[in-house]
Amino acid sequence: QVRLVESGGGSVQAGGSLRLSCAASGIPDIWYYMGWFRQAPGKQREGVAVIAPNGASTYADSVKGRFTISRDNPRATLYLQMNSLNREDTAMYYCAAARIDYGLLPRYNYWGQGTQVTVSS
């Protein structure tokens, strides 16, 4: 059974940084696409950053140059380093995994429960 558990969310002032982590278990092998998605109140879930099994990454335009996705395969952990945060980054952040490359589309098979990020000015 695949299980994804996010951590690292919290409240931060604009311009600050946070690092999200996602601990994965039950994934049969490392050849999974993994990603970070977010959903703000009243808005649809959107892709933030995804990373392929070979380490190639894709970012939403709104976070390029500010966020960095990475994965530690031996530790089965996914990370999202978020710098220069602004109020528009406030949302629930979800970790997701899939065997197929869905890119930034929220069609992944497995999801975590989310971790809240709140940015204040």
Side-chain angles (χ1 to χ4, degrees):
Q1 182 178 354
V2 175
R3 187 167 183 239
L4 303 173
V5 180
E6 302 95 334
S7 61
S11 297
V12 63
Q13 288 193 328
S17 299
L18 282 174
R19 188 193 195 202
L20 306 183
S21 299
C22 172
S25 61
I27 293 181
D29 54 54
I30 65 172
W31 299 109
Y32 266 67
Y33 294 83
M34 298 193 73
W36 288 98
F37 295 78
R38 67 187 181 186
Q39 188 166 18
K43 295 188 177 181
Q44 291 187 334
R45 188 169 297 188
E46 63 175 356
V48 174
V50 298
I51 188 166
N54 65 0
S57 56
T58 302
Y59 296 91
D61 288 342
S62 60
V63 306
K64 281 180 182 177
R66 300 188 298 122
F67 291 10
T68 303
I69 189 172
S70 61
R71 61 193 295 168
D72 183 337
N73 288 332
R75 290 185 171 85
T77 304
L78 181 72
Y79 301 100
L80 184 68
Q81 178 66 44
M82 305 186 296
N83 299 327
S84 302
L85 286 161
N86 56 58
R87 293 184 62 181
E88 288 68 38
D89 296 316
T90 295
M92 184 72 78
Y93 283 70
Y94 298 91
C95 170
R99 194 64 178 89
I100 300 172
D101 182 8
Y102 292 110
L104 292 171
L105 296 175
R107 297 178 180 173
Y108 285 53
N109 306 98
Y110 306 104
W111 294 86
Q113 82 289 347
T115 185
Q116 178 68 38
V117 172
T118 302
V119 184
S120 59
S121 57

